[in-house]
Amino acid sequence: MAAPPRNRAMTDGTGRPDEFGFIATYLAPLAEGCEGALGLKDDAALFSVPPGQSAVVTSDALIAGTHFRITDPADSQGAKALGVNLSDLASMGATPLGYTLILALPPDWTTDWAQGFTAGLAEYQDRYGIKLLGGDTVAIDGPLTIGVTAIGSVPGGGQLTRSGAAAGDDVWVSGTIGDAALALALSDRAGRLDAPDYAHLLTRFERPQPRLALGRNLIGLASAAIDVSDGLAADLGHLGRASGIGAVINVESLPLSGAARRCIEKEELSAEIVLNGGDDYELLFTAPPQSSGAILAAAEKSECAVSRIGNTNDGDSFRFIGKSGEDIDLETSGWTHF
Amino acid sequence: MAAPPRNRAMTDGTGRPDEFGFIATYLAPLAEGCEGALGLKDDAALFSVPPGQSAVVTSDALIAGTHFRITDPADSQGAKALGVNLSDLASMGATPLGYTLILALPPDWTTDWAQGFTAGLAEYQDRYGIKLLGGDTVAIDGPLTIGVTAIGSVPGGGQLTRSGAAAGDDVWVSGTIGDAALALALSDRAGRLDAPDYAHLLTRFERPQPRLALGRNLIGLASAAIDVSDGLAADLGHLGRASGIGAVINVESLPLSGAARRCIEKEELSAEIVLNGGDDYELLFTAPPQSSGAILAAAEKSECAVSRIGNTNDGDSFRFIGKSGEDIDLETSGWTHF
């Protein structure tokens, strides 16, 4: 990563440490107890992949103002940066082993922010049993940029991918969808909404819950899986095209939280926001119909609800149908990153 | 990483593809032939660590205008982003297995840049026998930001670290030092210098050569190692503090390229630029004196020159002495990142 703190003055009068002080103060505690991290004081870190397992790696960047709001609590920025990467591991059925962190700090970063941000990382580290392995801290004349690389492992050859779905499979999704998108869409109307309902949506936006236990327990059961980050419609398209199948989704079957249902009703929103909104970080997966009992058992074991929302077919279109079988036309299909 | 290209229009009138088109056009070719990369179309990538080896990971970020110049050729930006990470692996004695890439593109990126950048990555991939495993491509309202995470392996327990040096060891450095710093310092005087000399310095700045073969061949011989990225004086300090030793360096023994020697002489520069300048990406390492024959043999096998430049001691200071044993006082000790 970098180096031990030097015997040198702070870089400015704000009480903020320099690069090495930053690592020693804020990041080294996140590596404590992880022998391979070498105290974040060496050039690279060591990690072990359990025998018989394949290693899995994913890198995701979050940029302030794009992937989270600058006004989001600092701890949620840390939680989200780690959470969205762990969600990618979850969608492969992988168990996390550790992560590295690239942090590009804008000129106005504060020690309060650094404390909050690393507290969010620490919370997610503890929850999922991993440590910080290494990384790089640099200055940027631009927005705060957070790059996380998460490393995990799956039983050799057992990984879930996007490409295994077959025509006739059931389509499932975990948890509830649309909450995070609703939090964003309704942020200027928050005062009009029931406070606990809005708080629920906001927590879902700020603190994604990677479905790691579910992903692990779906190995050998699900034919394909993806995590819902770009919106259910878009991610269904990604999975479907990778597998060479089409799908029909019953919009009535989509799992909505009570909070989402009440906010949609009150604000007279359409289903589009649920289908196109991003940041759900639920697992969207497929499985043959005869596996449904096993899927439900795996979900229970994982303490994570799952819902059957449609079926795949040998077409190449992705239809969303309403209560009476009518097509719901989606103007756009998810968001793009640039 | 992300998703297959969608059937959707370009995002603007410049002929630039959107995120998925960018991945398909520029990045997917970098993953070709690597089964575990899953065509950059899945959530995470798979890689294997050879039996009996420990996995090694390092992440480094490069920001345009800070870690490279916006005017540097696009291919050298790619080469440098990968090269500096591979240099971190080299300093642990590791062999690279693959890498992930985070790319934050500013609004004015061009397809010419993208082609050049990925050509530089491809060149270094080919040279070191690795492929792109995955990553993330996002937009940034700020400078081009490149994050690379390189993954490698070392024979179990054999890794080089910064902390193994003992008092009485020889201090060695590979290749030549100061070239890259001289290229930067003399860029406004380039016209006054011998053209091939300046071209040599510039290549050293733009295209770091990670000393992977040397690092690998130093396993079991070197007591400690670090790559020289912050400047020889600063990195010697990092290694020395990690090992709990001091050192005396004979400035006359520092390996300078002919080009560096001539440019220093012509421009009447002091030794400071060689000791404090960054971006050498050479290996600085220590070894007991009785290993010197084996070190030279390892260097020959690695086709990489090495020079003995001083000795460690049981103090905690890092002295640089001139021809007559006089101390050379270094005002500053390397650069910091913020």
Side-chain angles (χ1 to χ4, degrees), chain A residues 48-79:
Chain A
S48 303
V49 182
Q53 304 255 319
S54 294
V56 180
V57 63
T58 185
S59 291
D60 268 327
L62 276 74
I63 297 185
T66 303
H67 302 95
F68 59 90
R69 299 177 298 189
I70 298 162
T71 52
D72 289 340
D75 61 336
S76 78
Q77 297 175 22

PDB file of all heavy atoms in Angstrom, chain A residues 48-79:
ATOM      1  N   SER A  48      -4.980 -15.953   1.025  1.00  0.00           N
ATOM      2  CA  SER A  48      -5.015 -17.373   0.700  1.00  0.00           C
ATOM      3  C   SER A  48      -6.382 -17.753   0.172  1.00  0.00           C
ATOM      4  O   SER A  48      -7.406 -17.278   0.669  1.00  0.00           O
ATOM      5  CB  SER A  48      -4.746 -18.214   1.949  1.00  0.00           C
ATOM      6  OG  SER A  48      -3.520 -17.864   2.501  1.00  0.00           O
ATOM      7  N   VAL A  49      -6.400 -18.588  -0.826  1.00  0.00           N
ATOM      8  CA  VAL A  49      -7.638 -19.137  -1.359  1.00  0.00           C
ATOM      9  C   VAL A  49      -7.768 -20.558  -0.794  1.00  0.00           C
ATOM     10  O   VAL A  49      -6.830 -21.346  -0.925  1.00  0.00           O
ATOM     11  CB  VAL A  49      -7.595 -19.164  -2.897  1.00  0.00           C
ATOM     12  CG1 VAL A  49      -8.897 -19.676  -3.468  1.00  0.00           C
ATOM     13  CG2 VAL A  49      -7.277 -17.768  -3.425  1.00  0.00           C
ATOM     14  N   PRO A  50      -8.905 -20.867  -0.149  1.00  0.00           N
ATOM     15  CA  PRO A  50      -9.031 -22.209   0.440  1.00  0.00           C
ATOM     16  C   PRO A  50      -8.821 -23.297  -0.618  1.00  0.00           C
ATOM     17  O   PRO A  50      -9.209 -23.115  -1.772  1.00  0.00           O
ATOM     18  CB  PRO A  50     -10.471 -22.218   0.965  1.00  0.00           C
ATOM     19  CG  PRO A  50     -10.841 -20.782   1.143  1.00  0.00           C
ATOM     20  CD  PRO A  50     -10.100 -20.046   0.074  1.00  0.00           C
ATOM     21  N   PRO A  51      -8.221 -24.407  -0.245  1.00  0.00           N
ATOM     22  CA  PRO A  51      -7.959 -25.492  -1.194  1.00  0.00           C
ATOM     23  C   PRO A  51      -9.258 -25.942  -1.878  1.00  0.00           C
ATOM     24  O   PRO A  51     -10.309 -26.010  -1.229  1.00  0.00           O
ATOM     25  CB  PRO A  51      -7.416 -26.619  -0.308  1.00  0.00           C
ATOM     26  CG  PRO A  51      -7.012 -25.989   0.969  1.00  0.00           C
ATOM     27  CD  PRO A  51      -7.798 -24.743   1.137  1.00  0.00           C
ATOM     28  N   GLY A  52      -9.189 -26.208  -3.157  1.00  0.00           N
ATOM     29  CA  GLY A  52     -10.370 -26.665  -3.899  1.00  0.00           C
ATOM     30  C   GLY A  52     -11.298 -25.553  -4.328  1.00  0.00           C
ATOM     31  O   GLY A  52     -12.307 -25.799  -4.983  1.00  0.00           O
ATOM     32  N   GLN A  53     -10.974 -24.322  -3.948  1.00  0.00           N
ATOM     33  CA  GLN A  53     -11.821 -23.198  -4.327  1.00  0.00           C
ATOM     34  C   GLN A  53     -11.175 -22.407  -5.464  1.00  0.00           C
ATOM     35  O   GLN A  53      -9.960 -22.375  -5.595  1.00  0.00           O
ATOM     36  CB  GLN A  53     -12.020 -22.267  -3.124  1.00  0.00           C
ATOM     37  CG  GLN A  53     -12.598 -22.948  -1.886  1.00  0.00           C
ATOM     38  CD  GLN A  53     -14.055 -22.612  -1.668  1.00  0.00           C
ATOM     39  OE1 GLN A  53     -14.482 -21.480  -1.836  1.00  0.00           O
ATOM     40  NE2 GLN A  53     -14.836 -23.620  -1.303  1.00  0.00           N
ATOM     41  N   SER A  54     -12.025 -21.784  -6.281  1.00  0.00           N
ATOM     42  CA  SER A  54     -11.534 -20.849  -7.286  1.00  0.00           C
ATOM     43  C   SER A  54     -11.586 -19.446  -6.705  1.00  0.00           C
ATOM     44  O   SER A  54     -12.512 -19.116  -5.955  1.00  0.00           O
ATOM     45  CB  SER A  54     -12.407 -20.874  -8.535  1.00  0.00           C
ATOM     46  OG  SER A  54     -12.309 -22.113  -9.181  1.00  0.00           O
ATOM     47  N   ALA A  55     -10.622 -18.619  -7.080  1.00  0.00           N
ATOM     48  CA  ALA A  55     -10.623 -17.234  -6.622  1.00  0.00           C
ATOM     49  C   ALA A  55     -11.497 -16.389  -7.540  1.00  0.00           C
ATOM     50  O   ALA A  55     -11.610 -16.659  -8.740  1.00  0.00           O
ATOM     51  CB  ALA A  55      -9.203 -16.700  -6.611  1.00  0.00           C
ATOM     52  N   VAL A  56     -12.144 -15.395  -6.969  1.00  0.00           N
ATOM     53  CA  VAL A  56     -13.059 -14.515  -7.694  1.00  0.00           C
ATOM     54  C   VAL A  56     -12.668 -13.082  -7.388  1.00  0.00           C
ATOM     55  O   VAL A  56     -12.316 -12.774  -6.245  1.00  0.00           O
ATOM     56  CB  VAL A  56     -14.517 -14.761  -7.238  1.00  0.00           C
ATOM     57  CG1 VAL A  56     -15.476 -13.853  -7.977  1.00  0.00           C
ATOM     58  CG2 VAL A  56     -14.910 -16.211  -7.442  1.00  0.00           C
ATOM     59  N   VAL A  57     -12.685 -12.213  -8.386  1.00  0.00           N
ATOM     60  CA  VAL A  57     -12.322 -10.817  -8.163  1.00  0.00           C
ATOM     61  C   VAL A  57     -13.296  -9.891  -8.880  1.00  0.00           C
ATOM     62  O   VAL A  57     -13.766 -10.202  -9.982  1.00  0.00           O
ATOM     63  CB  VAL A  57     -10.861 -10.551  -8.611  1.00  0.00           C
ATOM     64  CG1 VAL A  57     -10.675 -10.773 -10.110  1.00  0.00           C
ATOM     65  CG2 VAL A  57     -10.417  -9.146  -8.247  1.00  0.00           C
ATOM     66  N   THR A  58     -13.616  -8.771  -8.244  1.00  0.00           N
ATOM     67  CA  THR A  58     -14.473  -7.760  -8.871  1.00  0.00           C
ATOM     68  C   THR A  58     -14.019  -6.380  -8.422  1.00  0.00           C
ATOM     69  O   THR A  58     -13.581  -6.213  -7.285  1.00  0.00           O
ATOM     70  CB  THR A  58     -15.951  -7.993  -8.530  1.00  0.00           C
ATOM     71  OG1 THR A  58     -16.751  -7.062  -9.243  1.00  0.00           O
ATOM     72  CG2 THR A  58     -16.223  -7.834  -7.037  1.00  0.00           C
ATOM     73  N   SER A  59     -14.068  -5.402  -9.324  1.00  0.00           N
ATOM     74  CA  SER A  59     -13.710  -4.016  -8.996  1.00  0.00           C
ATOM     75  C   SER A  59     -14.857  -3.093  -9.378  1.00  0.00           C
ATOM     76  O   SER A  59     -15.345  -3.151 -10.506  1.00  0.00           O
ATOM     77  CB  SER A  59     -12.463  -3.577  -9.779  1.00  0.00           C
ATOM     78  OG  SER A  59     -11.317  -4.256  -9.345  1.00  0.00           O
ATOM     79  N   ASP A  60     -15.271  -2.254  -8.466  1.00  0.00           N
ATOM     80  CA  ASP A  60     -16.306  -1.257  -8.759  1.00  0.00           C
ATOM     81  C   ASP A  60     -15.870   0.090  -8.203  1.00  0.00           C
ATOM     82  O   ASP A  60     -15.323   0.164  -7.112  1.00  0.00           O
ATOM     83  CB  ASP A  60     -17.638  -1.637  -8.106  1.00  0.00           C
ATOM     84  CG  ASP A  60     -18.517  -2.450  -9.046  1.00  0.00           C
ATOM     85  OD1 ASP A  60     -18.475  -2.223 -10.266  1.00  0.00           O
ATOM     86  OD2 ASP A  60     -19.253  -3.312  -8.549  1.00  0.00           O
ATOM     87  N   ALA A  61     -16.154   1.141  -8.974  1.00  0.00           N
ATOM     88  CA  ALA A  61     -15.838   2.494  -8.536  1.00  0.00           C
ATOM     89  C   ALA A  61     -17.114   3.232  -8.176  1.00  0.00           C
ATOM     90  O   ALA A  61     -18.152   3.055  -8.815  1.00  0.00           O
ATOM     91  CB  ALA A  61     -15.106   3.236  -9.648  1.00  0.00           C
ATOM     92  N   LEU A  62     -17.029   4.069  -7.151  1.00  0.00           N
ATOM     93  CA  LEU A  62     -18.138   4.946  -6.782  1.00  0.00           C
ATOM     94  C   LEU A  62     -17.615   6.371  -6.781  1.00  0.00           C
ATOM     95  O   LEU A  62     -16.600   6.661  -6.137  1.00  0.00           O
ATOM     96  CB  LEU A  62     -18.669   4.609  -5.389  1.00  0.00           C
ATOM     97  CG  LEU A  62     -19.699   3.477  -5.294  1.00  0.00           C
ATOM     98  CD1 LEU A  62     -19.006   2.137  -5.476  1.00  0.00           C
ATOM     99  CD2 LEU A  62     -20.412   3.520  -3.954  1.00  0.00           C
ATOM    100  N   ILE A  63     -18.316   7.243  -7.497  1.00  0.00           N
ATOM    101  CA  ILE A  63     -17.900   8.633  -7.578  1.00  0.00           C
ATOM    102  C   ILE A  63     -18.957   9.514  -6.920  1.00  0.00           C
ATOM    103  O   ILE A  63     -20.149   9.364  -7.190  1.00  0.00           O
ATOM    104  CB  ILE A  63     -17.649   9.016  -9.055  1.00  0.00           C
ATOM    105  CG1 ILE A  63     -16.481   8.153  -9.583  1.00  0.00           C
ATOM    106  CG2 ILE A  63     -17.358  10.500  -9.200  1.00  0.00           C
ATOM    107  CD1 ILE A  63     -16.033   8.475 -10.960  1.00  0.00           C
ATOM    108  N   ALA A  64     -18.496  10.406  -6.052  1.00  0.00           N
ATOM    109  CA  ALA A  64     -19.414  11.300  -5.328  1.00  0.00           C
ATOM    110  C   ALA A  64     -20.226  12.111  -6.318  1.00  0.00           C
ATOM    111  O   ALA A  64     -19.690  12.663  -7.280  1.00  0.00           O
ATOM    112  CB  ALA A  64     -18.621  12.225  -4.412  1.00  0.00           C
ATOM    113  N   GLY A  65     -21.513  12.174  -6.087  1.00  0.00           N
ATOM    114  CA  GLY A  65     -22.392  12.937  -6.973  1.00  0.00           C
ATOM    115  C   GLY A  65     -22.966  12.097  -8.095  1.00  0.00           C
ATOM    116  O   GLY A  65     -23.938  12.497  -8.738  1.00  0.00           O
ATOM    117  N   THR A  66     -22.379  10.928  -8.332  1.00  0.00           N
ATOM    118  CA  THR A  66     -22.898  10.025  -9.367  1.00  0.00           C
ATOM    119  C   THR A  66     -23.455   8.752  -8.723  1.00  0.00           C
ATOM    120  O   THR A  66     -24.612   8.409  -8.917  1.00  0.00           O
ATOM    121  CB  THR A  66     -21.783   9.636 -10.373  1.00  0.00           C
ATOM    122  OG1 THR A  66     -21.245  10.830 -10.938  1.00  0.00           O
ATOM    123  CG2 THR A  66     -22.333   8.747 -11.483  1.00  0.00           C
ATOM    124  N   HIS A  67     -22.617   8.066  -7.962  1.00  0.00           N
ATOM    125  CA  HIS A  67     -23.025   6.783  -7.384  1.00  0.00           C
ATOM    126  C   HIS A  67     -23.531   6.918  -5.959  1.00  0.00           C
ATOM    127  O   HIS A  67     -24.109   5.981  -5.414  1.00  0.00           O
ATOM    128  CB  HIS A  67     -21.863   5.795  -7.449  1.00  0.00           C
ATOM    129  CG  HIS A  67     -21.373   5.585  -8.852  1.00  0.00           C
ATOM    130  ND1 HIS A  67     -20.309   6.286  -9.366  1.00  0.00           N
ATOM    131  CD2 HIS A  67     -21.824   4.803  -9.863  1.00  0.00           C
ATOM    132  CE1 HIS A  67     -20.110   5.912 -10.630  1.00  0.00           C
ATOM    133  NE2 HIS A  67     -21.011   5.028 -10.948  1.00  0.00           N
ATOM    134  N   PHE A  68     -23.253   8.011  -5.351  1.00  0.00           N
ATOM    135  CA  PHE A  68     -23.864   8.340  -4.060  1.00  0.00           C
ATOM    136  C   PHE A  68     -23.916   9.853  -3.987  1.00  0.00           C
ATOM    137  O   PHE A  68     -23.290  10.546  -4.807  1.00  0.00           O
ATOM    138  CB  PHE A  68     -23.080   7.741  -2.877  1.00  0.00           C
ATOM    139  CG  PHE A  68     -21.649   8.191  -2.790  1.00  0.00           C
ATOM    140  CD1 PHE A  68     -21.304   9.323  -2.054  1.00  0.00           C
ATOM    141  CD2 PHE A  68     -20.647   7.505  -3.458  1.00  0.00           C
ATOM    142  CE1 PHE A  68     -19.986   9.751  -1.994  1.00  0.00           C
ATOM    143  CE2 PHE A  68     -19.322   7.925  -3.396  1.00  0.00           C
ATOM    144  CZ  PHE A  68     -18.998   9.048  -2.666  1.00  0.00           C
ATOM    145  N   ARG A  69     -24.702  10.361  -3.051  1.00  0.00           N
ATOM    146  CA  ARG A  69     -24.828  11.804  -2.933  1.00  0.00           C
ATOM    147  C   ARG A  69     -23.799  12.329  -1.949  1.00  0.00           C
ATOM    148  O   ARG A  69     -23.532  11.686  -0.927  1.00  0.00           O
ATOM    149  CB  ARG A  69     -26.246  12.157  -2.490  1.00  0.00           C
ATOM    150  CG  ARG A  69     -27.278  11.679  -3.499  1.00  0.00           C
ATOM    151  CD  ARG A  69     -28.692  11.960  -3.045  1.00  0.00           C
ATOM    152  NE  ARG A  69     -29.011  11.258  -1.803  1.00  0.00           N
ATOM    153  CZ  ARG A  69     -30.229  11.198  -1.294  1.00  0.00           C
ATOM    154  NH1 ARG A  69     -31.246  11.819  -1.914  1.00  0.00           N
ATOM    155  NH2 ARG A  69     -30.450  10.547  -0.182  1.00  0.00           N
ATOM    156  N   ILE A  70     -23.240  13.482  -2.255  1.00  0.00           N
ATOM    157  CA  ILE A  70     -22.219  14.063  -1.383  1.00  0.00           C
ATOM    158  C   ILE A  70     -22.786  14.255   0.024  1.00  0.00           C
ATOM    159  O   ILE A  70     -22.066  14.210   1.019  1.00  0.00           O
ATOM    160  CB  ILE A  70     -21.709  15.391  -1.982  1.00  0.00           C
ATOM    161  CG1 ILE A  70     -21.053  15.092  -3.339  1.00  0.00           C
ATOM    162  CG2 ILE A  70     -20.724  16.095  -1.061  1.00  0.00           C
ATOM    163  CD1 ILE A  70     -20.883  16.287  -4.232  1.00  0.00           C
ATOM    164  N   THR A  71     -24.118  14.447   0.098  1.00  0.00           N
ATOM    165  CA  THR A  71     -24.769  14.670   1.391  1.00  0.00           C
ATOM    166  C   THR A  71     -25.097  13.362   2.116  1.00  0.00           C
ATOM    167  O   THR A  71     -25.563  13.404   3.254  1.00  0.00           O
ATOM    168  CB  THR A  71     -26.073  15.455   1.185  1.00  0.00           C
ATOM    169  OG1 THR A  71     -26.851  14.771   0.186  1.00  0.00           O
ATOM    170  CG2 THR A  71     -25.794  16.865   0.700  1.00  0.00           C
ATOM    171  N   ASP A  72     -24.891  12.215   1.479  1.00  0.00           N
ATOM    172  CA  ASP A  72     -25.132  10.953   2.179  1.00  0.00           C
ATOM    173  C   ASP A  72     -24.172  10.856   3.360  1.00  0.00           C
ATOM    174  O   ASP A  72     -23.023  11.296   3.263  1.00  0.00           O
ATOM    175  CB  ASP A  72     -24.911   9.755   1.248  1.00  0.00           C
ATOM    176  CG  ASP A  72     -25.999   9.615   0.183  1.00  0.00           C
ATOM    177  OD1 ASP A  72     -27.095  10.183   0.383  1.00  0.00           O
ATOM    178  OD2 ASP A  72     -25.748   8.950  -0.841  1.00  0.00           O
ATOM    179  N   PRO A  73     -24.621  10.260   4.465  1.00  0.00           N
ATOM    180  CA  PRO A  73     -23.722  10.135   5.621  1.00  0.00           C
ATOM    181  C   PRO A  73     -22.425   9.429   5.231  1.00  0.00           C
ATOM    182  O   PRO A  73     -22.437   8.501   4.421  1.00  0.00           O
ATOM    183  CB  PRO A  73     -24.533   9.266   6.598  1.00  0.00           C
ATOM    184  CG  PRO A  73     -25.957   9.424   6.179  1.00  0.00           C
ATOM    185  CD  PRO A  73     -25.943   9.678   4.706  1.00  0.00           C
ATOM    186  N   ALA A  74     -21.308   9.886   5.799  1.00  0.00           N
ATOM    187  CA  ALA A  74     -19.996   9.336   5.433  1.00  0.00           C
ATOM    188  C   ALA A  74     -19.941   7.833   5.665  1.00  0.00           C
ATOM    189  O   ALA A  74     -19.346   7.096   4.867  1.00  0.00           O
ATOM    190  CB  ALA A  74     -18.896  10.035   6.231  1.00  0.00           C
ATOM    191  N   ASP A  75     -20.560   7.356   6.750  1.00  0.00           N
ATOM    192  CA  ASP A  75     -20.475   5.910   6.998  1.00  0.00           C
ATOM    193  C   ASP A  75     -21.215   5.129   5.927  1.00  0.00           C
ATOM    194  O   ASP A  75     -20.801   4.035   5.544  1.00  0.00           O
ATOM    195  CB  ASP A  75     -20.944   5.537   8.411  1.00  0.00           C
ATOM    196  CG  ASP A  75     -22.388   5.905   8.667  1.00  0.00           C
ATOM    197  OD1 ASP A  75     -22.912   6.815   7.989  1.00  0.00           O
ATOM    198  OD2 ASP A  75     -23.006   5.291   9.547  1.00  0.00           O
ATOM    199  N   SER A  76     -22.282   5.703   5.383  1.00  0.00           N
ATOM    200  CA  SER A  76     -23.005   4.990   4.329  1.00  0.00           C
ATOM    201  C   SER A  76     -22.188   4.982   3.034  1.00  0.00           C
ATOM    202  O   SER A  76     -22.297   4.053   2.229  1.00  0.00           O
ATOM    203  CB  SER A  76     -24.385   5.591   4.100  1.00  0.00           C
ATOM    204  OG  SER A  76     -24.314   6.780   3.336  1.00  0.00           O
ATOM    205  N   GLN A  77     -21.340   5.987   2.835  1.00  0.00           N
ATOM    206  CA  GLN A  77     -20.475   5.979   1.642  1.00  0.00           C
ATOM    207  C   GLN A  77     -19.491   4.807   1.717  1.00  0.00           C
ATOM    208  O   GLN A  77     -19.237   4.122   0.726  1.00  0.00           O
ATOM    209  CB  GLN A  77     -19.725   7.308   1.515  1.00  0.00           C
ATOM    210  CG  GLN A  77     -20.666   8.507   1.307  1.00  0.00           C
ATOM    211  CD  GLN A  77     -19.936   9.844   1.301  1.00  0.00           C
ATOM    212  OE1 GLN A  77     -18.740   9.907   1.053  1.00  0.00           O
ATOM    213  NE2 GLN A  77     -20.657  10.917   1.583  1.00  0.00           N
ATOM    214  N   GLY A  78     -18.952   4.578   2.915  1.00  0.00           N
ATOM    215  CA  GLY A  78     -18.060   3.428   3.090  1.00  0.00           C
ATOM    216  C   GLY A  78     -18.795   2.112   2.961  1.00  0.00           C
ATOM    217  O   GLY A  78     -18.334   1.180   2.293  1.00  0.00           O
ATOM    218  N   ALA A  79     -19.970   2.051   3.605  1.00  0.00           N
ATOM    219  CA  ALA A  79     -20.768   0.826   3.551  1.00  0.00           C
ATOM    220  C   ALA A  79     -21.164   0.501   2.117  1.00  0.00           C
ATOM    221  O   ALA A  79     -21.093  -0.646   1.673  1.00  0.00           O
ATOM    222  CB  ALA A  79     -22.022   0.989   4.420  1.00  0.00           C
TER     223      ALA A  79
END
